[in-house]
Amino acid sequence: MLKDRTVAVLGAGTMGQAIVKGLVVRTGLPPERIRATVKHAERAAGVAEALGIVVGTDNAAAVSGADVVVISTKPRDLLTLLERLREAGSLDHRPLIVSIAAGVRIGAIEAALPPDSRVVRAMPNTPCVVGEGMVVLSPGAAATGADLETTRALFAPLGRCRVLDEEHLDTVTGLSGSGPAFVYVVIEALSEGGVMMGLPRAVATELAAQTVAGAARMVLETGRHPASLKDDVTTPAGCTIAGLLAMEDGRIRSVLARTVEVAARAAAGLGGPRAR
Ligand SMILES: NC(=O)c1ccc[n+]([C@@H]2O[C@H](COP(=O)([O-])OP(=O)(O)OC[C@H]3O[C@@H](n4cnc5c(N)ncnc54)[C@H](OP(=O)(O)O)[C@@H]3O)[C@@H](O)[C@H]2O)c1
């Protein structure tokens, strides 16, 4: 789907760079067909060297002739950036616009663009950097099936990809978008239990991280309910049930579920009042 396409990534920060790396390393799109921008000129050279593509600060030049424009600036910068490009006529060739900004609704993005622009909203997460991301896509009113497939091809190298209605995207942001941070706390906490019982810190962290990765893969690859997989580990009168009861004493379930709820509600406000 991406063959012979030109892709511009506006805002080559953490997520923008992950997307470019995926494109360069895993899709085989030639580096000369990818352009990126940052805000600060002094950062451009370093990012260009890291990515092996041309990186500048001129968004209009980057989108000129691009088939796909990925916007990966902070949510608060997105609409102004698009309005400037529209006013300069830089989007008159109607590229496919892919926004990864949290909290900025498709309707607000479409309103900042020329009429009938094709928009796909995407919510990735930072494990995209290692090809283990979760990406959820929602198409805008004028986006076609082919646009959705193009966007899928863009993100497929970065991890798992699925399509959902936009009404779910704030929740997706609170669960899989913010979720890596919540899981890092869990890994750190498990590791600290190991340290408390005498393991060296690095060993404890390795054990905790691989255990989380392995348990996640069990859920995804077996398709079994997590509760059933948990029961497999839980021998009567054993050590696992002792640990599980200690977790429940700490209300771990409601703490994690409420964590996602609070993050999802916060995600809805990230783009400011114009973004809804
Ligand atoms: N981080 C996550 O976990 C995550 C997950 C899902 C979605 N997102 C979404 O991804 C987007 C980017 O997040 P991030 O964490 O990657 O942020 P980031 O690291 O701060 O990157 C933002 C980038 O945008 C650039 N920028 C700012 N204004 C610009 C402009 N007018 N023109 C061109 N570039 C401009 C910045 O340039 P400088 O480097 O020069 O400052 C920076 O490189 C956000 O909308 C966020 O909601 C992030």
Side-chain angles (χ1 to χ4, degrees):
M1 287 305 291
L2 290 173
K3 197 170 171 287
D4 301 330
R5 304 293 180 92
T6 299
V7 179
V9 177
L10 309 185
T14 305
M15 290 308 309
Q17 289 187 38
I19 292 167
V20 171
K21 277 182 197 152
L23 284 172
V24 172
V25 176
R26 298 196 181 95
T27 66
L29 194 67
E32 58 274 15
R33 288 205 164 268
I34 310 169
R35 310 90 176 257
T37 60
V38 292
K39 184 171 191 175
H40 300 96
E42 64 275 17
R43 291 220 331 108
V47 177
E49 196 182 353
L51 299 177
I53 61 163
V54 172
V55 180
T57 55
D58 186 343
N59 291 320
V63 304
S64 171
D67 303 291
V68 183
V69 176
V70 180
I71 322 277
S72 49
T73 61
K74 290 291 188 196
R76 62 176 177 274
D77 298 322
L78 169 67
L79 296 178
T80 309
L81 185 156
L82 290 178
E83 282 162 355
R84 284 201 185 128
L85 288 172
R86 183 196 66 203
E87 284 158 14
S90 305
L91 299 170
D92 287 353
H93 64 296
R94 299 293 204 282
L96 169 63
I97 304 290
V98 178
S99 164
I100 68 164
V104 185
R105 293 188 65 88
I106 294 169
I109 297 168
E110 288 169 341
L113 293 168
D116 299 323
S117 289
R118 295 167 297 128
V119 176
V120 176
R121 202 178 146 192
M123 182 43 58
N125 62 12
T126 52
C128 284
V129 171
V130 292
E132 289 287 347
M134 181 72 230
V135 185
V136 175
L137 308 177
S138 294
T144 63
D147 293 331
L148 209 47
E149 286 315 304
T150 298
T151 313
R152 234 184 223 284
L154 196 74
F155 287 106
L158 307 182
R160 295 172 80 90
C161 222
R162 74 151 54 230
V163 177
L164 285 176
D165 281 349
E166 191 189 19
E167 63 176 301
H168 297 301
L169 273 200
D170 291 331
T171 306
V172 167
T173 305
L175 176 47
S176 55
S178 300
F182 309 148
V183 176
Y184 298 139
V185 171
V186 170
I187 290 172
E188 193 185 10
L190 292 173
S191 161
E192 264 160 9
V195 172
M196 176 69 196
M197 297 309 292
L199 286 179
R201 167 76 59 184
V203 174
T205 301
E206 181 193 0
L207 268 56
Q210 179 57 29
T211 301
V212 168
R217 200 135 284 290
M218 286 288 281
V219 173
L220 292 170
E221 288 187 8
T222 66
R224 287 172 60 197
H225 192 288
S228 159
L229 290 165
K230 179 201 70 184
D231 286 352
D232 287 351
V233 195
T234 313
T235 314
C239 56
T240 306
I241 188 66
L244 284 168
L245 293 182
M247 285 180 93
E248 300 290 2
D249 288 346
R251 297 172 46 167
I252 185 81
R253 264 171 219 275
S254 59
V255 166
L256 289 177
R258 296 261 179 257
T259 299
V260 172
E261 180 191 358
V262 168
R265 291 192 197 288
L270 285 180
R274 288 179 66 217
R276 304 310 291 172

